Every structure is written in structure tokens, then in C-alpha cells.
């Protein structure tokens, strides 16, 4: 009788792993997560601004707070240099060039008209001083020289500008040069929405805002003065940049960035009648944004490890993504969140796999979700490992 009981237990130990693995495979099929849908973020307020087009974007989320004729392709004048500077900063980030590299001015770069620092053919200047000259003084000659230094020619650089625009989803943009001079350009166009998109990408490079918030500076060892073309930097509280532009075709344009109380805004104005009107419109739109909107930011809380079935371990560590959203002023305190997690997940799991969500709502209406992901790999336990584990437990009894 004793031998028969031992035999039955041994048989159970042998067969039980197969039954457990089969059950785990079935449960894995039932644990599919529900896809997240994006909420509509279209602004509907009509402020009737006196310009051809305008956009107000919250920078951290990219949400459009206000738009007026936002997708019409228009000449952008020197606001073009937002893309020029973006490619320069990305080249620095990628190690293709360095701030202390020396750039030699070509005949073409020296021939640029409009805003300039009057580079002479063969004159040499470091990348950092040329970047400052483009950001602060909107120097067309420095923009061309940087483009040639990076891509070999302005033509090749402009091709890269258009390719980067496509990558960013700028649907109404066509660049023909690096600086926005449009006296001979027939199709050098972009839209207010596209300018906001590339401006948001540019200000991810903190060095740019360091330069664009400067009112006055110098290059050539202090011998040549730079004064910011963006008067908002001096006269609008919280303004940090970014780029102005004006030609007879484009009118007066600006991509203005500003920050107050942790809220960062990008204001794009195109086709204003005068520089003063452009600045006044931008200031009023920024005021409207700061007065009506704030940003709610969720700091992920620590989550207990999740039970793991069919894995080499019993549990797996998990963590939530951060979350932020734009809210109307005064409503941030009404935002609530709930954690949605299954009782268990089934191996195998890869690091970064989504295992649950945090759902955010305001006054009962869902406003967004943040994924909860595995922090490490979890391998599926094999039959032999499972059999050995159960045998060891049996022998220890």
C-alpha cells in the first residue's frame, strides 16, 4: 500500500507540469489588453486675430490650444531658420560637428543679403558663434555657412531640411533655402502648425533656449554686437525665444516661446501687417493661453510586483509611465486615476511589455492613459525545470 501511494504521487508529479503548462498557455490567450484611443484635442475658440494664421501649442504635450487657418502654406521668412537650427543641433548631438569646430565662410555664404553678421569670404568662426548669430541676430550668412559645413552644400542641406520636415509630419512645408529669403523662391512655404511642430522639436535642445533668451551679445571676440530680433524676449514676461521673420511676401512672422508657472507655450503668428502688430498679437495669444490653461503632471507611484504564471520566477517587477496633460485652469485638482492590472500575467514577458494601464479622468470623463510595463524579462519555465521544482518539493516533505 505504501509503495502504491508513492507511485501515485510520483505519477502526479510527472503529469502535473504538463497540465499547468497547458493551462498557462490558454490563460495567456485571454490576457490581451485593450488598445488606447486618443482623445480629440482640437481647439474651438475663435479669437479672430489680425494675422493670416496662428497656432498656440503647449510644448510638453504638443496639444494645440488655439488655431486660426493653421494649415495654409505661407512664406515663413526667417522663421525658416527653426529647421536650419534643428538640423545643426541634431548634427552636434550626433557628433557630426562640435561647437568649437571652425567654419570657413564660402563665397556663397558671404553673398547672402538681409540680416547678417557680414561674414567675409574665407573668414573663420566657430560653430557656437555662428549658431548664436543665427538665433539672436537671424544671420543669413551664418545660416548658409553652417549648412555648407554640415552637408557640403546648401542644396544638400535643404534636401535634408525637407526630409526632416516629412519625418516630423509637417504636411504643408516645402523649403528652398536655409534662411527664408523669398525674393527668388517660388515654393518656399510652411504653415503655422508645421512651424509649431518644428519649434517644439528644436526647443528640446536646451542650448537653443539659452541663446534665444539673450537680449544682447557679441561675436568676433566682442568686436561685433548681436541684438535679438525678438523684442518679446525683453518686453514679455517669461519669453524664452524663439525666432522672428519678415519679408514683403511673408509679412511679419514669429515663433515665440514662453514659460510661466511650469507651463511652456509655443505661439506662431504668420502674416501680420507690422512688427508691432505681430508682437502685440503674440503677446495677447500667450496671455490667453497662460490665463486659461495649466499642465497636470503625474509622477509614477511605486507598484507591487505582479504575479507571474509559468515563469522561472513567481513575480515580475512593473512600473508606470509618466503622464501629463493640458487642463483648463482650476481643473487639475479634479483629476483622478485608477490602476488597471490583471491578477497575473503569463510568461514569457519581455522588458517593456505592456501589462496594464493607469486611467486618468476629470469629472468622470476619461482624459488619458499611461501604460504599465514590465521592468525585466521573464522567461517561460520549461517542462524539465517545472518537473524538477515539483520533485524537490515532494522529496522535502
Amino acid at each position: 500500500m505504501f509503495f502504491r501511494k508513492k507511485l501515485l504521487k510520483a505519477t502526479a508529479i510527472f503529469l502535473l507540469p504538463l497540465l499547468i503548462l497547458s493551462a498557462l498557455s490558454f490563460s495567456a490567450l485571454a490576457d490581451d489588453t485593450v488598445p488606447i484611443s486618443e482623445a480629440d484635442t482640437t481647439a474651438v475658440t475663435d479669437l479672430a486675430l489680425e494675422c493670416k494664421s496662428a497656432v498656440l501649442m503647449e510644448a510638453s504635450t504638443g496639444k494645440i490650444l488655439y488655431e486660426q487657418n493653421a494649415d495654409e502654406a505661407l512664406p515663413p521668412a526667417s522663421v525658416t531658420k527653426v529647421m536650419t537650427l534643428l538640423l545643426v543641433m541634431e548634427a552636434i548631438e550626433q557628433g557630426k560637428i562640435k561647437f568649437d569646430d571652425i567654419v570657413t565662410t564660402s563665397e556663397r555664404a558671404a553673398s547672402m543679403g538681409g540680416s547678417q553678421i557680414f561674414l567675409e569670404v574665407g573668414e573663420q568662426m566657430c560653430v557656437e558663434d555662428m549658431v548664436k548669430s543665427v538665433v539672436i541676430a537671424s544671420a543669413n550668412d551664418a545660416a548658409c555657412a553652417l549648412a555648407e559645413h554640415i552637408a557640403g552644400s546648401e542644396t544638400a542641406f535643404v534636401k535634408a531640411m525637407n526630409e526632416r520636415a516629412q519625418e516630423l509630419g509637417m504636411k504643408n512645408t516645402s523649403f528652398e533655402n536655409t534662411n527664408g529669403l523669398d525674393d527668388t523662391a517660388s515654393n518656399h512655404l510652411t504653415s503655422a502648425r508645421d512651424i509649431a511642430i518644428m519649434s517644439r522639436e528644436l526647443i528640446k535642445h536646451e542650448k537653443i533656449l539659452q541663446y534665444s533668451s539673450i537680449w544682447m551679445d557679441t561675436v568676433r571676440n566682442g568686436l561685433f554686437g548681436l541684438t535679438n530680433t525678438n523684442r518679446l524676449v525683453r518686453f514679455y514676461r517669461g519669453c524664452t525665444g524663439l525666432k522672428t521673420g519678415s519679408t514683403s511676401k511673408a509679412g511679419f512672422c514669429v515663433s515665440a516661446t514662453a514659460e510661466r508657472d511650469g507651463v511652456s507655450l509655443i505661439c506662431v503668428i504668420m502674416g501680420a501687417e507690422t512688427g508691432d502688430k505681430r508682437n502685440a498679437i503674440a503677446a495677447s495669444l500667450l496671455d490667453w493661453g497662460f490665463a486659461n490653461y495649466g499642465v497636470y503632471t503625474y509622477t509614477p507611484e511605486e507598484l507591487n510586483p505582479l504575479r507571474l504564471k509559468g515563469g522561472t520566477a513567481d513575480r515580475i517587477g512593473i512600473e508606470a509611465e509618466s503622464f501629463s496633460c493640458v487642463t483648463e485652469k482650476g481643473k487639475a485638482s479634479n483629476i483622478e486615476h485608477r490602476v488597471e492590472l490583471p491578477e497575473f500575467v503569463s510568461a514569457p514577458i519581455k522588458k517593456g511589455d505592456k501589462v496594464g494601464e493607469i486611467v486618468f479622468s476629470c469629472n468622470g470623463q476619461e482624459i488619458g492613459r499611461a501604460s504599465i510595463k514590465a521592468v525585466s524579462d521573464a522567461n517561460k519555465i520549461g517542462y524539465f525545470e517545472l518537473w524538477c521544482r515539483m520533485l524537490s518539493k515532494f522529496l522535502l516533505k
Side-chain angles (χ1 to χ4, degrees):
M1 179 64 69
F2 176 78
F3 177 75
R4 182 180 296 175
K5 288 182 178 179
K6 285 287 186 180
L7 181 62
L8 289 173
K9 286 184 177 180
T11 303
I13 291 171
F14 182 80
L15 293 176
L16 189 56
L18 292 175
L19 296 173
I20 292 174
L21 288 173
S22 298
L24 290 175
S25 297
F26 176 79
S27 66
L29 295 175
D31 286 339
D32 292 338
T33 54
V34 179
I36 300 174
S37 60
E38 294 185 359
D40 181 17
T41 60
T42 304
V44 295
T45 304
D46 183 11
L47 301 179
L49 303 177
E50 294 183 17
C51 56
K52 290 183 178 179
S53 66
V55 156
L56 183 67
M57 173 188 283
E58 195 285 313
S60 68
T61 62
K63 181 174 180 177
I64 301 298
L65 307 180
Y66 175 82
E67 60 181 81
Q68 176 178 306
N69 195 27
D71 296 311
E72 182 180 355
L74 297 166
S78 282
V79 180
T80 297
K81 298 186 183 87
V82 169
M83 180 58 79
T84 303
L85 289 165
L86 175 59
L87 294 192
V88 171
M89 297 307 294
E90 289 179 341
I92 293 170
E93 184 178 63
Q94 294 161 10
K96 295 179 180 178
I97 63 171
K98 300 187 294 294
F99 276 116
D100 57 1
D101 284 352
I102 299 300
V103 179
T104 302
T105 305
S106 70
E107 184 174 349
R108 173 164 177 76
S111 70
M112 293 291 112
S115 302
Q116 56 186 303
I117 55 171
F118 303 99
L119 290 169
E120 296 182 357
V121 178
E123 182 177 355
Q124 294 185 322
M125 185 177 288
C126 69
V127 167
E128 183 167 22
D129 279 354
M130 284 203 172
V131 170
K132 283 201 305 183
S133 299
V134 175
V135 176
I136 299 171
S138 196
N140 296 325
D141 45 3
C144 183
L146 284 167
E148 292 174 337
H149 181 71
I150 291 170
S153 70
E154 186 181 21
T155 300
F157 190 88
V158 171
K159 180 182 178 183
M161 291 170 66
N162 285 310
E163 289 172 351
R164 190 70 177 99
Q166 290 298 309
E167 291 171 0
L168 291 172
M170 297 165 58
K171 299 178 180 179
N172 299 288
T173 295
S174 174
F175 294 118
E176 292 186 352
N177 57 52
T178 61
N179 45 51
L181 292 172
D182 53 21
D183 49 348
T184 60
S186 59
N187 195 41
H188 187 88
L189 305 168
T190 189
S191 67
R193 190 188 310 278
D194 286 357
I195 290 173
I197 290 171
M198 65 179 178
S199 297
R200 182 182 183 226
E201 197 68 21
L202 177 59
I203 63 175
K204 291 177 182 178
H205 301 271
E206 295 181 2
K207 198 80 169 176
I208 286 295
L209 288 180
Q210 178 182 324
Y211 295 144
S212 66
S213 59
I214 294 172
W215 176 239
M216 298 184 74
D217 205 337
T218 62
V219 292
R220 296 189 177 106
N221 296 317
L223 298 177
F224 188 90
L226 305 174
T227 301
N228 204 318
T229 60
N230 184 6
R231 294 183 64 196
L232 292 170
V233 167
R234 187 177 183 185
F235 298 108
Y236 185 82
R237 182 171 65 87
C239 184
T240 57
L242 178 64
K243 192 72 202 72
T244 61
S246 63
T247 65
S248 58
K249 286 184 181 179
F252 290 82
C253 309
V254 68
S255 177
T257 55
E259 185 172 345
R260 291 183 187 174
D261 302 323
V263 178
S264 180
L265 300 180
I266 299 169
C267 171
V268 179
I269 304 297
M270 299 188 74
E273 290 183 1
T274 67
D276 287 343
K277 284 187 176 180
R278 171 194 63 193
N279 296 339
I281 295 167
S284 66
L285 186 52
L286 287 167
D287 282 344
W288 178 86
F290 286 125
N292 288 281
Y293 292 95
V295 175
Y296 167 83
T297 300
Y298 166 77
T299 302
E301 59 196 73
E302 185 175 347
L303 298 172
N304 293 326
L306 189 61
R307 193 155 63 93
L308 180 68
K309 280 195 174 183
T312 54
D314 294 329
R315 294 184 178 274
I316 186 169
I318 57 175
E319 63 181 6
E321 294 181 326
S322 59
F323 174 81
S324 63
C325 67
V326 178
T327 63
E328 292 181 26
K329 274 289 180 69
K331 288 190 175 181
S333 60
N334 298 333
I335 295 177
E336 300 176 334
H337 71 273
R338 68 178 187 275
V339 178
E340 293 188 349
L341 282 170
E343 292 184 10
F344 63 87
V345 290
S346 299
I349 296 288
K350 294 291 185 184
K351 179 180 179 180
D353 281 355
K354 179 180 170 183
V355 296
E357 291 178 329
I358 298 181
V359 181
F360 298 86
S361 60
C362 184
N363 297 328
Q365 182 177 359
E366 183 178 323
I367 59 174
R369 299 185 176 208
S371 294
I372 300 173
K373 297 182 178 181
V375 299
S376 61
D377 294 341
N379 296 323
K380 187 174 183 179
I381 193 169
Y383 171 76
F384 180 74
E385 292 171 296
L386 184 58
W387 186 84
C388 290
R389 181 185 295 179
M390 299 193 67
L391 181 61
S392 66
K393 289 182 179 180
F394 169 75
L395 295 175
L396 290 173
K397 288 184 179 180

